[in-house]
Coordinates of all heavy atoms in Angstrom, one line a residue:
E11 N 32.7 11.6 12.3 CA 33.9 10.8 11.9 C 33.5 9.7 11.0 O 32.7 8.8 11.4 CB 34.6 10.3 13.1 CG 36.0 9.6 12.6 CD 36.7 9.0 13.8 OE1 36.0 8.5 14.7 OE2 38.0 9.0 13.8
E12 N 33.9 9.8 9.7 CA 33.5 8.8 8.7 C 34.3 7.5 9.0 O 35.3 7.5 9.7 CB 33.8 9.3 7.3 CG 33.1 10.7 7.0 CD 31.6 10.6 7.0 OE1 31.0 9.5 7.0 OE2 30.9 11.6 6.9
S13 N 33.9 6.5 8.3 CA 34.6 5.2 8.4 C 36.0 5.2 7.9 O 36.9 4.5 8.3 CB 33.8 4.1 7.7 OG 33.7 4.4 6.3
S14 N 36.3 6.2 7.0 CA 37.7 6.4 6.6 C 38.6 7.1 7.6 O 39.7 7.2 7.4 CB 37.6 7.2 5.2 OG 37.2 8.5 5.5
G15 N 38.0 7.6 8.6 CA 38.8 8.4 9.6 C 38.6 9.9 9.4 O 39.1 10.7 10.3
E16 N 38.1 10.3 8.2 CA 38.0 11.8 8.0 C 36.8 12.4 8.8 O 35.9 11.6 9.1 CB 37.9 12.0 6.5 CG 39.1 11.7 5.7 CD 39.0 12.1 4.2 OE1 38.3 13.1 3.9 OE2 39.6 11.5 3.4
I17 N 36.9 13.6 9.1 CA 35.9 14.3 9.8 C 35.0 15.2 8.8 O 35.5 16.1 8.1 CB 36.4 15.3 10.9 CG1 37.5 14.5 11.7 CG2 35.3 15.9 11.7 CD1 36.8 13.4 12.6
S18 N 33.7 14.9 8.8 CA 32.8 15.7 8.1 C 32.1 16.7 9.1 O 31.7 16.3 10.1 CB 31.7 14.9 7.4 OG 32.2 14.0 6.5
V19 N 32.1 18.0 8.7 CA 31.5 19.0 9.5 C 30.3 19.8 8.8 O 30.5 20.1 7.7 CB 32.6 20.0 9.9 CG1 32.1 21.1 10.9 CG2 33.8 19.3 10.6
F20 N 29.2 19.9 9.5 CA 28.1 20.6 9.1 C 27.9 21.8 10.0 O 27.7 21.6 11.2 CB 26.8 19.7 9.0 CG 27.0 18.5 8.2 CD1 27.6 17.3 8.7 CD2 26.7 18.5 6.8 CE1 27.8 16.2 7.9 CE2 26.9 17.4 6.0 CZ 27.5 16.2 6.5
F21 N 27.7 23.0 9.4 CA 27.7 24.3 10.2 C 26.3 24.8 10.3 O 25.5 24.7 9.4 CB 28.6 25.3 9.4 CG 30.1 24.8 9.3 CD1 30.5 24.4 8.0 CD2 31.0 24.8 10.3 CE1 31.8 23.9 7.9 CE2 32.3 24.5 10.1 CZ 32.7 23.9 8.9
F22 N 26.2 25.6 11.4 CA 24.9 26.4 11.5 C 25.1 27.6 10.6 O 26.2 28.0 10.3 CB 24.9 26.9 13.0 CG 24.4 25.9 14.0 CD1 25.2 25.6 15.0 CD2 23.1 25.4 14.0 CE1 24.8 24.6 16.0 CE2 22.6 24.5 14.9 CZ 23.5 24.1 15.9
E23 N 23.9 28.1 10.1 CA 24.0 29.4 9.4 C 24.4 30.4 10.3 O 24.2 30.4 11.5 CB 22.6 29.6 8.8 CG 22.1 28.6 7.8 CD 20.7 28.8 7.3 OE1 20.1 29.8 7.7 OE2 20.2 28.0 6.6
D24 N 25.0 31.5 9.8 CA 25.5 32.6 10.7 C 24.6 33.1 11.7 O 24.9 33.3 12.9 CB 26.1 33.7 9.8 CG 27.4 33.5 9.1 OD1 28.0 32.4 9.5 OD2 27.8 34.2 8.3
E25 N 23.3 33.3 11.3 CA 22.3 33.8 12.3 C 21.9 32.8 13.4 O 21.3 33.2 14.3 CB 21.1 34.3 11.4 CG 20.3 33.3 10.7 CD 20.8 33.1 9.3 OE1 21.9 33.6 9.0 OE2 20.1 32.5 8.4
K26 N 22.3 31.5 13.1 CA 21.9 30.5 14.1 C 23.1 30.0 14.9 O 22.9 29.2 15.8 CB 21.3 29.3 13.4 CG 20.0 29.6 12.8 CD 19.4 28.3 12.1 CE 18.0 28.6 11.5 NZ 17.4 27.5 10.8
V27 N 24.3 30.7 14.7 CA 25.5 30.3 15.5 C 25.2 30.6 17.0 O 24.6 31.6 17.4 CB 26.7 31.1 15.1 CG1 27.9 31.0 16.0 CG2 27.1 30.6 13.7
K28 N 25.6 29.6 17.9 CA 25.3 29.7 19.3 C 26.6 30.0 20.1 O 27.7 30.0 19.5 CB 24.8 28.4 19.9 CG 23.7 27.7 19.0 CD 23.0 26.6 19.7 CE 23.9 25.5 20.1 NZ 23.3 24.4 20.7
Y29 N 26.4 30.3 21.4 CA 27.6 30.4 22.2 C 28.2 28.9 22.4 O 27.4 28.0 22.5 CB 27.2 30.9 23.6 CG 27.1 32.4 23.7 CD1 25.8 33.0 23.5 CD2 28.2 33.2 24.0 CE1 25.7 34.4 23.6 CE2 28.1 34.6 24.1 CZ 26.8 35.2 23.9 OH 26.7 36.5 23.9
G30 N 29.5 28.8 22.3 CA 30.1 27.5 22.4 C 31.5 27.6 23.0 O 32.1 28.6 23.2
L31 N 32.0 26.4 23.2 CA 33.3 26.2 23.8 C 34.4 26.7 22.8 O 34.5 26.3 21.6 CB 33.6 24.7 24.1 CG 35.0 24.4 24.6 CD1 35.0 24.8 26.2 CD2 35.2 22.8 24.6
P32 N 35.2 27.7 23.1 CA 36.3 28.1 22.3 C 37.4 27.1 22.2 O 37.7 26.4 23.1 CB 36.8 29.4 23.0 CG 36.4 29.3 24.4 CD 35.2 28.4 24.4
I33 N 37.9 26.9 21.0 CA 38.9 25.8 20.7 C 40.3 26.4 20.3 O 41.1 25.7 19.7 CB 38.4 24.8 19.7 CG1 38.1 25.4 18.4 CG2 37.2 24.1 20.3 CD1 37.7 24.4 17.3
M34 N 40.4 27.7 20.4 CA 41.7 28.3 20.0 C 42.8 27.8 21.0 O 42.6 27.5 22.1 CB 41.6 29.8 20.0 CG 40.5 30.3 19.0 SD 40.8 29.8 17.3 CE 42.2 30.8 16.8
P35 N 44.1 27.8 20.4 CA 45.2 27.3 21.4 C 45.2 28.1 22.6 O 45.0 29.3 22.7 CB 46.4 27.7 20.5 CG 46.0 27.7 19.1 CD 44.6 28.2 19.1
D36 N 45.5 27.4 23.7 CA 45.5 27.9 25.1 C 44.3 28.5 25.7 O 44.2 29.0 26.7 CB 46.5 29.1 25.1 CG 47.9 28.7 24.6 OD1 48.3 27.5 24.9 OD2 48.7 29.5 24.1
S37 N 43.1 28.3 24.9 CA 41.8 28.9 25.4 C 41.2 28.1 26.6 O 40.4 28.7 27.4 CB 40.8 28.9 24.2 OG 40.6 27.6 23.8
L38 N 41.7 26.9 26.8 CA 41.2 26.1 27.9 C 42.2 26.0 29.1 O 42.1 25.2 30.0 CB 40.9 24.7 27.4 CG 39.9 24.6 26.2 CD1 39.7 23.1 26.0 CD2 38.6 25.3 26.5
D39 N 43.3 26.8 29.0 CA 44.3 26.7 30.0 C 44.0 27.2 31.4 O 44.6 26.9 32.3 CB 45.6 27.5 29.5 CG 46.3 26.7 28.4 OD1 45.9 25.6 28.1 OD2 47.3 27.3 27.8
Q40 N 43.0 28.1 31.5 CA 42.7 28.6 32.8 C 41.1 28.4 33.1 O 40.4 29.4 33.0 CB 43.0 30.2 32.8 CG 44.5 30.4 32.7 CD 44.9 31.9 32.7 OE1 44.1 32.7 32.3 NE2 46.1 32.2 33.2
P41 N 40.8 27.3 33.4 CA 39.4 26.9 33.7 C 38.9 27.6 34.9 O 39.7 27.9 35.8 CB 39.3 25.4 33.7 CG 40.7 25.0 34.1 CD 41.6 26.0 33.5
L42 N 37.6 27.9 35.0 CA 37.0 28.6 36.2 C 36.2 27.6 37.0 O 35.5 26.8 36.4 CB 36.2 29.8 35.7 CG 36.9 30.8 34.8 CD1 35.9 31.8 34.2 CD2 38.0 31.5 35.6
K43 N 36.2 27.9 38.3 CA 35.2 27.3 39.2 C 34.3 28.3 39.9 O 33.3 28.0 40.6 CB 35.9 26.4 40.2 CG 36.6 25.2 39.6 CD 37.1 24.2 40.5 CE 37.8 22.9 39.9 NZ 38.2 21.9 40.9
M44 N 34.8 29.5 39.8 CA 34.0 30.6 40.4 C 33.7 31.7 39.3 O 34.6 32.0 38.5 CB 34.8 31.4 41.4 CG 34.9 30.6 42.8 SD 33.4 30.3 43.7 CE 32.9 32.0 44.1
I45 N 32.5 32.1 39.2 CA 32.1 33.0 38.1 C 32.1 34.5 38.8 O 31.4 34.7 39.7 CB 30.7 32.7 37.6 CG1 30.6 31.3 37.1 CG2 30.3 33.7 36.5 CD1 31.6 30.9 36.0
K46 N 32.9 35.3 38.1 CA 33.1 36.7 38.6 C 32.2 37.7 37.8 O 32.0 38.8 38.2 CB 34.5 37.2 38.5 CG 35.4 36.3 39.4 CD 36.8 36.8 39.4 CE 37.7 36.0 40.3 NZ 39.1 36.5 40.3
Q47 N 31.7 37.3 36.6 CA 30.9 38.2 35.8 C 29.8 37.3 35.0 O 30.1 36.3 34.5 CB 31.8 38.8 34.7 CG 31.1 39.8 33.8 CD 32.1 40.4 32.8 OE1 33.3 40.4 33.0 NE2 31.5 41.0 31.8
R48 N 28.6 37.8 35.0 CA 27.6 37.1 34.3 C 27.8 37.1 32.8 O 28.1 38.1 32.2 CB 26.2 37.9 34.5 CG 25.1 37.3 33.8 CD 23.8 38.2 34.1 NE 22.7 37.7 33.3 CZ 21.5 38.3 33.2 NH1 21.2 39.3 34.0 NH2 20.5 37.8 32.4
D49 N 27.7 35.9 32.3 CA 28.0 35.6 30.9 C 27.7 34.2 30.5 O 27.2 33.4 31.4 CB 29.5 35.9 30.6 CG 29.7 36.4 29.2 OD1 28.9 36.1 28.3 OD2 30.7 37.1 28.9
H50 N 27.9 33.8 29.3 CA 27.7 32.5 28.9 C 29.1 31.7 29.1 O 30.2 32.2 28.8 CB 27.4 32.4 27.4 CG 26.0 32.8 27.2 ND1 25.7 34.1 27.0 CD2 24.8 32.1 26.9 CE1 24.4 34.2 26.8 NE2 23.8 33.0 26.7
Y51 N 29.0 30.5 29.7 CA 30.2 29.7 30.0 C 29.9 28.3 29.4 O 28.8 27.8 29.5 CB 30.4 29.7 31.5 CG 30.9 31.0 32.1 CD1 29.9 31.9 32.4 CD2 32.2 31.3 32.2 CE1 30.3 33.2 32.8 CE2 32.6 32.5 32.7 CZ 31.7 33.5 33.0 OH 32.0 34.7 33.5
S52 N 31.1 27.6 29.1 CA 31.0 26.3 28.5 C 31.9 25.3 29.4 O 33.0 25.7 29.9 CB 31.6 26.3 27.1 OG 30.9 27.1 26.2
C53 N 31.3 24.2 29.5 CA 32.1 23.1 30.2 C 33.3 22.7 29.4 O 33.2 22.4 28.2 CB 31.1 21.8 30.4 SG 32.0 20.4 31.1
T54 N 34.5 22.7 30.0 CA 35.7 22.4 29.2 C 35.8 20.9 28.8 O 36.6 20.6 27.9 CB 37.0 22.7 30.1 OG1 36.9 21.9 31.3 CG2 37.0 24.1 30.5
F55 N 34.9 20.1 29.4 CA 35.0 18.6 29.1 C 34.0 18.3 27.9 O 34.5 17.6 27.0 CB 34.6 17.8 30.3 CG 34.8 16.3 30.1 CD1 36.0 15.7 30.1 CD2 33.6 15.5 30.0 CE1 36.2 14.4 29.8 CE2 33.8 14.2 29.7 CZ 35.0 13.6 29.7
C56 N 32.8 18.7 28.0 CA 31.8 18.3 27.0 C 31.3 19.4 26.1 O 30.6 19.1 25.1 CB 30.6 17.6 27.7 SG 29.6 18.7 28.7
G57 N 31.6 20.7 26.5 CA 31.1 21.8 25.7 C 29.7 22.3 26.0 O 29.2 23.2 25.3
Y58 N 29.1 21.6 27.0 CA 27.7 22.2 27.4 C 27.9 23.6 27.7 O 28.7 24.0 28.5 CB 27.2 21.3 28.5 CG 25.9 21.9 29.1 CD1 24.7 21.7 28.5 CD2 25.9 22.6 30.3 CE1 23.5 22.1 29.0 CE2 24.8 23.1 30.8 CZ 23.5 22.9 30.2 OH 22.4 23.4 30.7

């Protein structure tokens, strides 16, 4: 966040893109506390 309030974003190259927290509308509406399938999961609060 720049001093003007605008957001500057720097991206990973496509081959370096990681698993991350999805930010599409409604994507965080059903958080989990039990894992039913092995996979990558992201913390809904910090994105870890």
